[in-house]
Amino acid sequence: AVSVFDVVSLFTLQCLLEGLRQLGAATSVNNAAALADSLVQVLPVLLHLVSSATLCACIVGSRTLPLLGAMCELAARIPLPPAQPSGGSAGSPLSQVQPLVLIFMETISAQQGLVLEHASQMVHCILPTIAAFLPSNRIDVRLLALKSFVDICIMLLNDFYVFDPMAESPSETTVLLEAVLCNRVLPTFPSLLGDEFPTPSYAFRLLATLLSRGSRAAGTAVRELNLAPQ
């Protein structure tokens, strides 16, 4: 049965998606600021829901995960305000949207049972869209994106039912997860490894876990990207 919280969650996500679409298409600074201000008021509602042991299933479910993926994808495309030498833009609503979205995605990783239950959708809908933030020109966004990606991805990598690259016929989730990692995530590592602590430690943690699972595709990517120790 659909509960009132399921309805509220879906409605909130749909409102966020519409707001993000409008923000991405905003043509004036004032309009963008107003839309961003509205979004940063709504995002904490989702954060509250996913942090609740009772209500988290309303947010992390088969109907909502595609919407969460779309939310990440739209948020990653938001044009960020120019950096100010004094740091004056750091606290503006427009600057807060991407970090809030990523903090929300990081909180999902605390719901291990739900992440593994919906592993296929996590690989299809969530991880690729989080990876879209990794090339950001903001170091805080890169760190939040990598941390949320690593927390979810390692959970999936360590589950043999989800990821088994050494199987005779690897599953669809194995093939897709390898593709996301090798084509979208590992290519960002040369840049991420040059970031301030703790970003490199998250990158090494993910890389070590991936290689420990015997992924040949990852081994090839590591050599091609010169990520292996010399």
Side-chain angles (χ1 to χ4, degrees), residues 16 38-50 100 104:
L16 273 172
S38 177
L39 289 170
V40 299
Q41 302 301 318
V42 176
L43 281 164
V45 175
L46 287 183
L47 188 59
H48 172 73
L49 291 173
V50 80
L100 281 173
F104 170 79

Side-chain angles (χ1 to χ4, degrees), residues 164-171:
D164 187 5
M166 300 183 73
E168 185 175 345
S169 298
S171 65

Side-chain angles (χ1 to χ4, degrees), residues 3-218:
S3 73
V4 64
F5 291 108
D6 292 316
V7 174
V8 169
S9 300
L10 284 170
F11 178 75
T12 304
L13 279 171
Q14 289 164 352
C15 289
L16 273 172
L17 288 176
E18 182 57 30
L20 286 166
R21 291 189 188 100
Q22 292 180 18
L23 180 57
T27 56
S28 74
V29 174
N30 289 340
N31 189 26
L35 288 166
D37 187 58
S38 177
L39 289 170
V40 299
Q41 302 301 318
V42 176
L43 281 164
V45 175
L46 287 183
L47 188 59
H48 172 73
L49 291 173
V50 80
S51 300
S52 167
T54 306
L55 303 176
C56 59
C58 300
I59 288 293
V60 185
S62 58
R63 287 177 297 180
T64 52
L65 285 170
L67 298 179
L68 292 176
M71 178 183 74
C72 272
E73 186 176 1
L74 289 168
R77 297 176 184 172
I78 292 174
L80 297 175
Q84 301 293 328
S86 62
S89 67
S92 70
L94 188 56
S95 295
Q96 294 176 44
V97 173
Q98 288 189 350
L100 281 173
V101 167
L102 291 169
I103 289 169
F104 170 79
M105 301 312 296
E106 181 186 349
T107 306
I108 288 179
S109 67
Q111 308 298 342
Q112 181 173 354
L114 290 172
V115 169
L116 294 176
E117 179 183 344
H118 300 285
S120 178
Q121 284 185 300
M122 287 289 170
V123 175
H124 280 81
C125 305
I126 301 302
L127 291 181
T129 56
I130 295 176
F133 290 91
L134 293 175
S136 172
N137 59 6
R138 281 180 51 179
I139 190 170
D140 60 325
V141 170
R142 293 196 300 271
L143 173 57
L144 286 168
L146 183 61
K147 189 175 187 305
S148 58
F149 186 96
V150 168
D151 287 347
I152 294 173
C153 189
I154 285 183
M155 200 183 306
L156 300 175
L157 290 176
N158 283 329
D159 190 301
F160 281 85
Y161 292 102
V162 176
F163 186 78
D164 187 5
M166 300 183 73
E168 185 175 345
S169 298
S171 65
E172 181 185 0
T173 54
T174 296
V175 173
L176 181 56
L177 187 49
E178 275 190 321
V180 171
L181 287 162
C182 294
N183 299 331
R184 301 191 60 179
V185 178
L186 294 183
T188 66
F189 273 27
S191 173
L192 293 173
L193 291 174
D195 281 352
E196 298 174 358
F197 179 85
T199 299
S201 64
Y202 284 109
F204 281 126
R205 181 180 165 216
L206 177 60
L207 186 58
T209 304
L210 176 59
L211 294 178
S212 73
R213 296 304 316 277
S215 170
R216 293 182 179 179

